[in-house]
Amino acid sequence: MSDENIMNQGNSEEISAGIKIVEEKGIGYTLTVEREDLFKAASALKEAGFDLFLFVSGIDYPESIKLTYRVYSSKRQNKLAVMLKTEVPKSDPTVDSLVPLWSAANWHERETYDLYGVIFKGHPDLRRIFLPQDWVGYPLRKDYSDDHMTVMDDGKKDKDKAAAKDKPAAAAPKESAEKQDAPEQPSDIADANEVSTNGSDKNE
Amino acid sequence: MLSSTKLLEFASNYGIPVWALDGAIAIVFAVVLFAICAISVIINVYLLRKISADFQLRYGPMHVGWHGSLQLFADAIKLLTKEDIFPSNADRWIFRLAPVVTFVPAYLGFLVLPIGHGIVIQDLNVGLLYILAIPAIGVAGIIMAGFGSYNKYAIIGSLRSAAQMVSYEVPRALSIIGIVMIAGSAKLSSIVGAQHVWYIILQPIAFVVFLVSTLAEINSTPFDLPETESELVNGYYTEYSGMRFMFFFFAEYVALFAAATLTTVLFLGGWHGPGPEYLGPIWFTIKTFAMIWVIMWIKWTLPRFRIDQVMDLGWKVLLPLALINVLITGLVMMII
Amino acid sequence: MGLIKMSKLEEMKISNHNLSELEKDLALNGEVESTEDIVTEELAIHFGPQHPSAHGVFHAIFHVKGEVVTKIEPDIGYLHRCFEKIAENRTYTQFIPYTDRMDYVASMTNNWAYCMAVEKLAGIEVPERAEHIRVIVGELQRIASHLVFLSTAGSEAGALTPFVYFFDEREGILTLYEKICGARLTYNYIRIGGVRADAPEGWLDDTLAFVTRLKKRMYDYDRLVLGNYIFKKRFIGVAPFSAEQALDWGLTGPPLRSTGVSYDVRRSDPYSVYPRLEFDVVVKYKGDNYDRACIRSDEIKQSIRIIEQAIEQIPEGPVKADGIAKVFKPAAGEGYGHVESPKGDLGFYVVSDGTTKPYRVKIQGPSFGNLQALPAMSEGTYIGDVVLTLGTLDPVFGEVDR
């Protein structure tokens, strides 16, 4: 499973059967897997004692988005941390969610979804986390442009106009992403707004 | 009502009806009382700011007037000239009335307080009951404020306040029973008159219970839950601004002052002190301000309790203590 | 609740689920008041984004039943400035001031973590003296940040006076910073390959005098805040987290160490001159609010130890690596640098494509990871406790939202 062609290859260690982590210059131990194998590799890491999930980062390349996870082991003797790398094509930016393994992955995956548009299958609550729910596009992609900058209100008009006027980042994945989150509108937040008074503009 | 024989003679000589005389005297007293309250609040606020500044390594107000002594007037002008804001969904009449309902009872408590020997506006023979009962009406104003504001922080704050005041009213009243037993009267002037030995020495448990429940009554730390800034923004008066806010502010200090004076009357020997009798009011004032200082000291030192802990303390600790105090007092009185 | 109802209840030998049917039945007969008229529902309170103890711009919806919070829905992003995107349009050096604006209570460690990541990426060696100065300013920053924590923890619990005492002490640290780098809050002091300038004459002595004085005073402060009866009553046993939970929710820093997991980057992945310094990683075991608070106070004492040793050991020499231009092109590759910031494990993941600007900078903010555990930690506690629990997680929203 491990990639033998990593440059600057240093020490390596066999975590468990078939999973070999290699030391890479600058970032420490690394494990690179195909996206189909991600969940399996992550489970193996979890079983091997890597119990602390630190972050997931997307990196935007022209054809694909590389994902880098960092997990740390509090149990292993040498207090190891591993960078788990995978890659998803931009045409289909989906990957298994790691929330079942580490609850901590929840917000981190939402962040990556928000800024890169990577869809994490099996995530319990995949909504935008930093940006407003009606934001268009994924800002950390290199081809993102904010010409269509939405106005921050709940006017559907602006959103439609913006979507029609400009087709910015990777049309296909965006549509699929929107389909994905259409039923996942932040219904509970909206409910709360109706019920409550404090802090919501509605009642002012 | 208050008319002495001389005044009555004077009135009958000039054909003034008794009710008019009574009314005039009542108005004069009301104005005087209000003035005393206002002055006490002014002094109070200034002292509070300076004392808390001292506790906190600060100077406090320094710029308006001599050492910031006119700061309060500047604040008052600011508050009076502010826009009068109503939350859009507020129940306007309740919202408007609430500050008044909170303020007036706090101020009525002073009616029966004997400041010096024979210096009292109305020496009721149930003065003690009166002074416990009347300020407790203020809680209605707090609930009205919470209810009328149409604000969740306010309603939670007001409910907390109601729960707290009702719970602490009980140990507070019970703690005084010992004093009534010893003094043999519920008239405040008689209670002071009977204090050849201060009741803080005769009734130490009662004093502790009374002080703690008084802190809860006036919403001072560690019982400032109704207006916890860190949880409920400002509690029941979150939505108030300007003049109405000033009323709450005023009521709070009047309540503090009233609590300090009542403690002085009940436990610190009221006007008693060395020197001739006409120095009584001065001793009274000194003791009152000492009491305020103690309350401030507690306020600026301690964190606050949680709501369930407040209830626990009231019902499970203070109430039994107050009852035990009554029992002990009774036993001692029987033996002696 | 009359006798009629009681007898009927016995008659029907009710269980829980047919109680409501019974009540309906009785209500129809007009025998008892229907409890269905009394509407009791959960109240949804908006906590923030403007709230005195929201620690910045935190917005959450608290669902409360009476005083008990049954559900918390956090909603973040009000301070999102997309630093990660900005980083892609700045040179490596230009991005350092932006890191100041993340955890603005502890800017120095942000600078440090970022510079370390770039140094690892470009393979830059930092001179000894610079490493020592970094350790000193970094630990001073930890003290300053923890002092802010203690003061806000106190004021959230209602004790307003300690707040001022701790800020007074922090003032001493800010003055020291002002002397060494001219700024009091956003320092931009640690640079790639070293620090901007050597410590001015007498600065190290001033620092030593400051920590010596603070060491004495910490005793009083501990009694004033952490030793206070009411403070203990409010904090002990509230919102406890086990080690498993803490790891699962990805806590780092003091909240993780309070559960018994000894994860401190200074020891787990040693950097700078920490391997040569003697100090203990403070670990507590109950994981409740009180442990999370105490751990900070103890860490201040450890930081004082570190500073004393670092000042003792500091060598003479340059404070910046030679030959680093303002604009430079590291070879394509990746670098990950992380430090133990006062809030936890703060990491920067920098990817270079060989140009003057980073291709990608990922910021791993400990506040973000810690805040996420708030619902799991404090659902079922009182409103007042949620505020305290949020305080003991010590999030800074510049870092959460980035």
Side-chain angles (χ1 to χ4, degrees):
Chain A
M1 211 174 278
S2 63
D3 193 339
E4 297 297 329
N5 302 324
I6 298 169
M7 284 168 63
N8 307 315
Q9 194 175 317
N11 301 332
S12 64
E13 191 181 328
E14 187 111 7
I15 292 282
S16 64
I19 294 191
K20 198 167 139 203
I21 54 174
V22 207
E23 193 168 1
E24 205 176 318
K25 182 184 161 261
I27 56 171
Y29 285 99
T30 314
L31 169 65
T32 309
V33 294
E34 294 296 316
R35 69 164 162 162
E36 289 78 18
D37 300 329
L38 179 77
F39 193 82
K40 218 164 72 185
S43 312
L45 284 175
K46 175 93 193 273
E47 266 161 39
F50 287 85
D51 41 13
L52 182 62
F53 181 97
L54 288 168
F55 72 82
V56 51
S57 162
I59 308 169
D60 183 65
Y61 288 103
E63 295 303 319
S64 63
I65 293 168
K66 285 187 176 167
L67 294 173
T68 306
Y69 298 77
R70 185 176 173 84
V71 287
Y72 167 83
S73 163
S74 70
K75 294 194 181 71
R76 296 177 72 87
Q77 208 60 49
N78 46 1
K79 303 271 181 190
L80 206 54
V82 168
M83 294 282 201
L84 175 62
K85 291 183 173 181
T86 189
E87 195 168 354
V88 295
K90 269 191 175 172
S91 53
D92 175 30
T94 54
V95 72
D96 286 325
S97 167
L98 299 188
V99 177
L101 297 175
W102 296 282
S103 307
N106 192 324
W107 279 18
H108 292 280
E109 288 184 351
R110 276 178 69 186
E111 184 193 337
T112 310
Y113 163 70
D114 191 357
L115 304 177
Y116 279 97
V118 177
I119 292 157
F120 294 89
K121 281 183 291 183
H123 189 287
D125 180 28
L126 198 65
R127 285 182 290 131
R128 287 190 182 271
I129 189 165
F130 291 144
L131 304 177
Q133 302 298 327
D134 55 357
W135 198 268
V136 177
Y138 302 105
L140 275 183
R141 290 195 179 182
K142 293 281 179 187
D143 54 4
Y144 172 80
S145 85
D146 52 8
D147 299 341
H148 60 276
M149 203 65 149
T150 48
V151 179
M152 280 183 63
D153 64 4
D154 49 356
K156 201 170 177 299
K157 226 187 287 172
D158 292 323
K159 188 187 170 185
D160 292 348
K161 207 170 36 181
K165 190 175 116 194
D166 197 323
K167 281 283 173 193
K174 198 186 76 199
E175 272 167 23
S176 67
E178 276 178 3
K179 264 176 216 155
Q180 178 92 3
D181 63 4
E184 290 174 337
Q185 279 299 310
S187 54
D188 25 22
I189 289 184
D191 287 349
N193 271 331
E194 277 165 29
V195 179
S196 65
T197 62
N198 299 322
S200 79
D201 314 15
K202 258 178 204 171
N203 298 309
E204 303 288 290
Chain B
M1 117 198 186
L2 298 149
S3 331
S4 66
T5 13
K6 271 185 187 173
L7 274 172
L8 277 174
E9 275 173 26
F10 174 82
S12 58
N13 286 347
Y14 290 88
I16 303 167
V18 177
W19 60 265
L21 187 69
D22 274 354
I25 291 173
I27 289 167
V28 168
F29 273 124
V31 170
V32 169
L33 192 57
F34 190 81
I36 291 174
C37 278
I39 292 167
S40 74
V41 167
I42 289 165
I43 298 170
N44 247 331
V45 172
Y46 183 72
L47 279 181
L48 172 108
R49 284 181 165 170
K50 284 295 182 189
I51 291 169
S52 58
D54 194 37
F55 283 130
Q56 302 189 341
L57 316 170
R58 299 184 285 121
Y59 287 117
M62 286 299 281
H63 292 289
V64 188
W66 180 81
H67 279 247
S69 49
L70 299 178
Q71 182 67 45
L72 186 75
F73 297 99
D75 288 348
I77 292 167
K78 185 201 80 175
L79 288 172
L80 287 173
T81 51
K82 269 180 110 169
E83 189 193 347
D84 193 14
I85 300 169
F86 285 101
S88 56
N89 283 322
D91 191 328
R92 292 199 162 218
W93 274 106
I94 294 182
F95 189 79
R96 270 195 196 117
L97 268 179
V100 182
V101 176
T102 315
F103 172 69
V104 171
Y107 147 83
L108 284 179
F110 287 101
L111 271 179
V112 293
L113 276 174
I115 297 164
H117 186 66
I119 310 175
V120 57
I121 296 172
Q122 183 65 286
D123 205 3
L124 292 179
N125 54 6
V126 287
L128 196 54
L129 287 183
Y130 174 87
I131 208 164
L132 288 177
I134 294 297
I137 297 172
V139 74
I142 289 176
I143 292 176
M144 283 163 73
F147 182 76
S149 299
Y150 198 69
N151 178 316
K152 288 173 186 174
Y153 293 123
I155 197 115
I156 293 178
S158 66
L159 290 176
R160 276 183 178 186
S161 172
Q164 184 174 313
M165 287 208 175
V166 169
S167 315
Y168 278 81
E169 205 60 49
V170 180
R172 191 171 184 234
L174 280 175
S175 68
I176 303 174
I177 287 183
I179 290 176
V180 179
M181 285 160 77
I182 298 174
S185 167
K187 199 181 199 177
L188 290 175
S189 58
S190 318
I191 290 176
V192 180
Q195 283 190 59
H196 304 296
V197 183
W198 291 4
Y199 286 158
I200 188 173
I201 295 161
L202 295 182
Q203 293 273 315
I205 303 174
F207 177 72
V208 172
V209 174
F210 183 78
L211 184 63
V212 173
S213 30
T214 300
L215 289 176
E217 283 296 295
I218 61 171
N219 294 338
S220 176
T221 325
F223 304 100
D224 58 343
L225 285 108
E227 51 200 68
T228 46
E229 191 186 273
S230 61
E231 296 157 32
L232 300 178
V233 189
N234 245 334
Y236 55 87
Y237 57 82
T238 303
E239 293 287 357
Y240 283 86
S241 66
M243 175 114 169
R244 290 175 218 285
F245 171 78
M246 201 172 80
F247 262 106
F248 279 117
F249 187 72
F250 222 61
E252 202 171 292
Y253 286 107
V254 171
L256 171 65
F257 191 63
T261 47
L262 185 60
T263 318
T264 309
V265 165
L266 293 179
F267 291 97
L268 302 180
W271 65 77
H272 288 303
E277 207 158 61
Y278 60 81
L279 287 178
I282 294 172
W283 285 117
F284 186 85
T285 314
I286 290 172
K287 287 173 190 173
T288 304
F289 280 106
M291 217 35 237
I292 290 176
W293 193 82
V294 169
I295 293 173
M296 286 293 134
W297 189 10
I298 295 171
K299 182 184 167 94
W300 292 113
T301 310
L302 295 180
R304 76 173 71 87
F305 283 108
R306 201 170 55 207
I307 185 74
D308 59 324
Q309 292 164 345
V310 168
M311 293 296 140
D312 278 2
L313 183 68
W315 293 105
K316 294 184 190 164
V317 180
L318 295 183
L319 185 61
L321 265 181
L323 287 171
I324 289 168
N325 180 55
V326 173
L327 182 72
I328 293 172
T329 314
L331 286 176
V332 171
M333 282 175 77
M334 261 174 67
I335 294 161
I336 298 171
Chain C
M1 296 289 214
L3 282 171
I4 309 158
K5 187 173 175 185
M6 282 315 294
S7 57
K8 270 220 167 186
L9 289 180
E10 283 161 13
E11 201 182 306
M12 291 178 69
K13 285 180 188 163
I14 53 138
S15 65
N16 271 339
H17 64 272
N18 65 13
L19 179 63
S20 59
E21 276 174 37
L22 170 70
E23 278 176 350
K24 242 182 243 169
D25 182 40
L26 292 171
L28 283 175
N29 296 336
E31 288 171 82
V32 249
E33 289 173 18
S34 166
T35 51
E36 280 167 17
D37 293 343
I38 304 164
V39 184
T40 58
E41 59 183 37
E42 287 187 352
L43 197 62
I45 303 180
H46 280 260
F47 178 85
Q50 275 91 38
H51 188 281
S53 52
H55 276 248
V57 283
F58 180 46
H59 177 215
I61 298 163
F62 290 177
H63 294 265
V64 295
K65 216 165 190 176
E67 285 272 346
V68 179
V69 177
T70 52
K71 193 178 167 201
I72 300 172
E73 294 172 40
D75 174 22
I76 60 172
Y78 287 85
L79 203 57
H80 182 56
R81 292 154 291 174
C82 220
F83 280 161
E84 293 175 4
K85 187 75 175 178
I86 293 174
E88 292 170 11
N89 299 300
R90 297 288 182 278
T91 65
Y92 286 94
T93 313
Q94 276 175 342
F95 187 61
I96 302 175
Y98 287 92
T99 62
D100 282 330
R101 274 84 183 162
M102 282 169 33
D103 179 357
Y104 39 78
V105 181
S107 307
M108 208 59 102
T109 42
N110 300 348
N111 290 174
W112 194 358
Y114 172 70
C115 291
M116 221 165 88
V118 178
E119 282 153 12
K120 280 197 183 165
L121 170 72
I124 298 167
E125 284 291 319
V126 182
E128 274 288 287
R129 187 172 173 85
E131 287 285 19
H132 279 85
I133 292 179
R134 281 181 178 192
V135 167
I136 295 168
V137 292
E139 292 303 324
L140 278 176
Q141 187 69 85
R142 190 182 317 281
I143 296 174
S145 174
H146 286 349
L147 286 173
V148 172
F149 165 79
L150 289 170
S151 63
T152 51
S155 79
E156 270 155 18
L160 296 171
T161 303
F163 183 87
V164 192
Y165 292 172
F166 289 125
F167 265 76
D168 185 48
E169 293 295 346
R170 178 169 174 264
E171 193 67 22
I173 295 174
L174 298 191
T175 312
L176 286 173
Y177 278 154
E178 203 176 354
K179 282 183 190 159
I180 200 169
C181 66
R184 290 166 60 82
L185 197 68
T186 50
Y187 310 112
N188 191 14
Y189 176 64
I190 293 177
R191 297 292 173 83
I192 296 160
V195 295
R196 191 176 67 199
D198 201 349
E201 209 173 310
W203 189 84
L204 291 172
D205 298 331
D206 290 351
T207 310
L208 199 59
F210 170 79
V211 294
T212 317
R213 194 188 60 164
L214 181 65
K215 193 156 67 174
K216 281 186 201 132
R217 292 201 177 171
M218 278 315 288
Y219 173 71
D220 285 340
Y221 293 151
D222 275 359
R223 285 195 310 163
L224 179 66
V225 180
L226 298 175
N228 184 295
Y229 173 77
I230 300 175
F231 192 89
K232 280 185 178 168
K233 222 168 147 52
R234 285 297 302 277
F235 277 67
I236 290 180
V238 175
F241 235 35
S242 68
E244 288 74 35
Q245 278 175 305
L247 289 165
D248 184 37
W249 280 103
L251 296 183
T252 55
L256 178 62
R257 288 196 289 277
S258 75
T259 63
V261 180
S262 163
Y263 175 50
D264 185 321
V265 183
R266 292 175 293 177
R267 283 281 184 253
S268 307
D269 185 8
Y271 56 94
S272 194
V273 291
Y274 281 113
R276 273 180 269 156
L277 300 171
E278 250 178 58
F279 68 96
D280 303 325
V281 174
V282 186
V283 178
K284 305 258 174 191
Y285 294 92
K286 283 197 216 90
D288 58 358
N289 275 353
Y290 190 65
D291 275 2
R292 282 192 284 272
C294 282
I295 212 161
R296 264 114 179 176
S297 168
D298 291 352
E299 281 191 10
I300 291 178
K301 289 161 205 158
Q302 295 301 328
S303 291
I304 292 173
R305 264 177 84 186
I306 295 172
I307 292 171
E308 285 171 347
Q309 291 173 49
I311 290 178
E312 201 180 299
Q313 294 176 9
I314 190 165
E316 290 298 322
V319 292
K320 199 159 184 198
D322 284 335
I324 299 168
K326 269 182 189 160
V327 178
F328 64 103
K329 291 183 179 176
E334 296 172 0
Y336 176 76
H338 62 158
V339 300
E340 184 67 25
S341 93
K343 311 290 186 294
D345 182 356
L346 171 68
F348 281 78
Y349 176 48
V350 184
V351 180
S352 160
D353 59 350
T355 60
T356 56
K357 294 170 182 172
Y359 189 73
R360 164 81 169 127
V361 173
K362 163 72 191 176
I363 304 161
Q364 170 208 344
S367 296
F368 183 77
N370 289 352
L371 181 67
Q372 138 166 248
L374 178 72
M377 204 176 261
S378 56
E379 277 172 3
T381 57
Y382 290 87
I383 297 175
D385 288 340
V386 176
V387 171
L388 295 185
T389 310
L390 174 64
T392 55
L393 288 173
D394 201 15
V396 170
F397 277 79
E399 190 176 78
V400 174
D401 294 342
R402 300 194 289 279

